Each structure stands twice: as C-alpha cells, then as structure tokens.
C-alpha cells in the first residue's frame, strides 16, 4: 500500500511523486504503481497545462512517442545494441529507464506488452539500449525482425536514482548479464569527473566468456585509475584475454564481503540483474551494513 500512496497524488495541485525503487514488484499488477502514477500525472497536467515544463520534448512519461531505429550493433549471438533517434530533444539522467511498447502476436490477434530498458548512452536526440533476445520471448520475436528505419514507441524516462560524489568513498557494483546496462553511465560519470575520487569495483557475472557484454566499453573505462572490474563466468569455455581478471564460478558471498570489508572506505552498493540474483546480492550486502540501491 505504501507504494500505491507514493505513486498517486492526493493533492492534484502538487505534481505527483514518481514511485521509488522497489515500489513496483515486477509481477505485472493491474494497476501497477506506475500506472497509478501516470494517471495522477495526466490529471495534474490536464489541470495545469502551463504550470509545468516537460522533462524532454521527444520523451513523455504518459504517452508513447515514435523513435526511429538507426543502428543495430551485435554484441553476442543473442544480444545487440539498438540506437534510436528522435526529431526532438530528449533528456535522460543516469540510472533512469525507458518503456517500449511491443506489439505481439496472440491467439486473438495483436496484443501490446510493455518492456523496460535502461539506456547505456545517449545524446540530445538519441539513445542506445542493449537487448537480449530469448528463444520464446514476446519482445525477442519483435526484435528478431527489427531493421534500421523501423519506428518504435517509447515513453519515460523513469527512475529517481541520485548520485553525489560525497555520499561514499567506494562504489561496489554487483551485476549479471544485461544488468550491466544501467551502471555503465554511472561509472562513466564518475571516472570522467576529475574532481570525483570515488573508487569503483565492478563484479559482473555471465554464463560464458562470449556472453560478456560491453567489453570494449569496460576496457576503455579501466584506463581510469579509480575503476577495476572482475568477471565471474560459470562455464569453462575458452581462455580469458591477456590482462583480464576472470574467476570461474558465481559471485560468492565471501567475494562481496571481502570487497566491502577489506577497504576502510565508506561503501555504497549498486545491484542489477535477475530477480533471484538481486535477492541473493541484497541478502549478502545487508550483512555488511552498507547502503545499497537495486535497479
């Protein structure tokens, strides 16, 4: 009920507060706290059409808007980076996500589903998302047929993640698979700020060496003094490249405890991955007493 209260606005003279991380359970509730938030925002905008300014012209938190797919860049056999462009200016902040409206075939014709993706990079008129295609996934079938010049419908951005360089001395990031997407812009923001001395330690899980995502970006970022990363790979396929730090197996509780406890620095932890991965990571991080944020 707390999430519903935060997602809705009692006083329509005040702009409704966006749901906080964790308010949405991810179980497909109808209505979802985000549905309630959007309805409250719609009523607020209708009542005060000139009272607020849009976050961005090409993106809207209520209505889906068209974006043109311009580039598809394969990453692995089933994962690619998709670039979308708008004719209008857009505004996205680190840690935010967007929603895509996906038309899917069903027994009764076409149904529409909504999928969430975190941009890994963006400009004033475009953004990149990394998408994994699953064998029987509804959205995956849609992207299997996607080609440059296709027009897709997006809305957002959502998410109230905030970062201040003085909040922690060390940032520990625990992610798996495409869970790396929301943290890449955060890492880049920190390391490219010469006044930010926060150290970053990334522990990233994947099934195989070939499944590792955004390796070019990670290798680019590791040139900065305050960023290091370790991959945890559950298979025994192939050999890691020169200078790569790869541990065979899953991210263990002892690994997390050592990274956080071995340093005298005040730590904050970011977590992103599957529901089961996040649950496991949160349980361990709680034992350390460190502040954490789960995407």
């Amino acid at each position: 009920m707390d999430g519903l209260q935060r997602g809705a606005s009692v006083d329509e003279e005040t702009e409704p507060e966006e749901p906080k991380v964790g308010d949405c359970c991810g179980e497909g509730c109808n209505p979802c706290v985000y549905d309630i938030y959007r309805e409250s925002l719609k009523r607020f905008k209708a009542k005060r059409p000139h009272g607020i300014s849009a976050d961005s012209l090409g993106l809207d938190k209520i209505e889906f808007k068209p974006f043109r797919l311009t580039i598809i860049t394969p990453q692995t056999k089933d994962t690619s980076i998709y670039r979308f462009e708008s004719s209008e200016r857009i505004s996205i902040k680190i840690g935010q996500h967007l929603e895509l409206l996906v038309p899917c075939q069903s027994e009764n014709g076409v149904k529409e589903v909504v999928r969430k993706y975190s941009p890994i990079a963006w400009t004033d008129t475009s953004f990149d998302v990394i998408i994994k295609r699953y064998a029987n996934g509804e959205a995956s079938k849609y992207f299997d047929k996607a080609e440059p010049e296709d027009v897709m419908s997006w809305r957002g951005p959502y998410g109230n993640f905030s970062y201040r360089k003085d909040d922690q001395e060390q940032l520990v990031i625990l992610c798996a698979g495409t869970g790396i997407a929301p943290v890449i812009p955060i890492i880049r923001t920190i390391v490219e700020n010469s006044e930010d001395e926060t150290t970053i330690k990334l522990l990233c899980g994947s099934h195989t060496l070939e499944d590792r995502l955004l390796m070019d970006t990670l290798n680019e970022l590791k040139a900065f003094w305050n960023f290091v990363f370790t991959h945890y790979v559950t298979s025994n396929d192939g050999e890691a490249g020169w200078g790569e730090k790869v541990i065979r197996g899953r991210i263990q509780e002892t690994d997390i405890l050592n990274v956080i406890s071995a340093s005298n620095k005040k730590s904050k932890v970011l977590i992103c991955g599957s529901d089961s991965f996040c649950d496991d990571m949160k349980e361990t991080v709680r034992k350390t007493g460190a502040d954490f944020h789960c995407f």
Side-chain angles (χ1 to χ4, degrees), residues 3-22:
L4 293 178
Q5 291 172 342
R6 284 194 289 264
S9 174
V10 176
D11 178 9
E12 291 185 5
E13 292 297 323
T14 304
E15 183 172 355
E17 180 183 351
E18 184 172 335
K20 293 180 171 56
V21 175

Side-chain angles (χ1 to χ4, degrees), residues 71-76 79-83:
I71 302 174
I72 303 175
T73 306
Q75 283 279 295
T76 69
T79 307
S80 298
I81 296 173
Y82 298 80
R83 175 166 295 173

Side-chain angles (χ1 to χ4, degrees), residues 163 165-172 190 196-201 224-228 256-269 288-291:
Y163 172 81
K165 64 183 179 66
D166 299 325
D167 283 348
Q168 67 285 304
E169 298 171 289
Q170 174 179 255
L171 191 65
V172 178
I190 295 172
D196 195 335
E197 296 187 354
T198 302
T199 58
I200 309 169
K201 294 182 180 178
F224 291 89
W225 68 272
N226 52 340
F227 173 61
V228 295
I256 301 170
L257 297 178
N258 287 338
V259 168
I260 296 176
S261 304
S263 171
N264 292 323
K265 297 180 176 181
K266 179 182 178 183
S267 298
K268 181 172 183 176
V269 183
T288 70
D291 184 24

Side-chain angles (χ1 to χ4, degrees), residues 267-280:
S267 298
K268 181 172 183 176
V269 183
L270 304 184
I271 304 170
C272 192
S274 66
D275 290 342
S276 60
F277 175 85
C278 290
D279 289 342
D280 290 343

Side-chain angles (χ1 to χ4, degrees), residues 60-80:
D60 189 275
K61 290 183 178 181
I62 300 174
E63 304 294 335
F64 285 97
K65 290 197 172 184
F67 281 77
R68 183 167 55 91
L69 174 60
T70 56
I71 302 174
I72 303 175
T73 306
Q75 283 279 295
T76 69
K77 62 181 183 299
D78 56 11
T79 307
S80 298

